[in-house]
Amino acid sequence: MAHLVFALTVISAAVIFALLEIQIEGNKGWATGLPTWRLEQAWVKRICGGRAMTGYHFYVHLLVLTFTHLPFLLDLAPWTLAAELRILGFILLFFIIEDFLWFIFNKSFGLRRFRKEHIWWHAHAWWWFMPRDYWIAGPLGVGLYVLSVVI
């Protein structure tokens, strides 16, 4: 039952955030139309999977990292390695699922336009039928979750 609750929580949070992010970004991905700072240096792009780091994405990631660690920060639960691994797995899966759902729910994209020729910010690292990030972070997120269960 705990595995189902974990999966449903990740999916629910990803759905809500994808819908919110569509309201924020509209049809312009990677914060293209937002009044935010951008770091475009080559070393930053290497760290960020070939994309610029934007203020929008920096603060969203910081917010998710903070919210997922609230039980520890507010002393509601003890920190354990297993709990940390589960949170990191949650974060990776959350962002991958949310990113995919952004395309599915976004009227400017949808599943038909989920191709590298329509998604410039993922096009440089498109492996087969989806972005490289999905191939790496998805299994890593699942692996961290499984590891958190077995340790």
Side-chain angles (χ1 to χ4, degrees), residues 54-129:
T54 71
Y56 170 75
H57 290 96
F58 176 79
Y59 292 116
V60 161
H61 283 83
L62 197 56
L63 180 68
V64 169
L65 191 63
T66 302
F67 278 161
T68 55
H69 284 84
L70 277 179
F72 308 141
L73 298 171
L74 298 176
D75 203 24
L76 299 173
W79 183 91
T80 64
L81 179 58
E84 186 67 32
L85 293 172
R86 188 163 302 182
I87 286 171
L88 294 175
F90 177 95
I91 291 170
L92 288 172
L93 293 169
F94 166 79
F95 278 118
I96 294 304
I97 294 167
E98 181 277 330
D99 190 73
F100 178 68
L101 292 175
W102 185 92
F103 295 105
I104 299 307
F105 296 148
N106 194 318
K107 291 181 186 344
S108 298
F109 288 91
L111 191 55
R112 275 185 318 129
R113 292 178 50 108
F114 187 70
R115 295 206 234 340
K116 75 177 184 176
E117 57 267 16
H118 300 291
I119 307 168
W120 65 265
W121 58 98
H122 280 308
H124 67 283
W126 197 272
W127 291 357
W128 194 22
F129 61 89

Side-chain angles (χ1 to χ4, degrees), residues 2-88:
H3 306 311
L4 179 61
V5 169
F6 179 85
L8 290 176
T9 303
V10 172
I11 293 166
S12 298
V15 165
I16 293 165
F17 191 69
L19 294 170
L20 172 63
E21 197 169 39
I22 291 165
Q23 296 301 308
I24 294 168
E25 292 184 311
N27 64 352
K28 296 181 177 143
W30 208 252
T32 304
L34 300 182
T36 186
W37 53 259
R38 295 177 185 287
L39 299 177
E40 304 268 356
Q41 293 89 342
W43 67 272
V44 173
K45 287 184 174 183
R46 270 195 304 279
I47 293 169
C48 297
R51 297 170 296 261
M53 169 55 72
T54 71
Y56 170 75
H57 290 96
F58 176 79
Y59 292 116
V60 161
H61 283 83
L62 197 56
L63 180 68
V64 169
L65 191 63
T66 302
F67 278 161
T68 55
H69 284 84
L70 277 179
F72 308 141
L73 298 171
L74 298 176
D75 203 24
L76 299 173
W79 183 91
T80 64
L81 179 58
E84 186 67 32
L85 293 172
R86 188 163 302 182
I87 286 171
L88 294 175

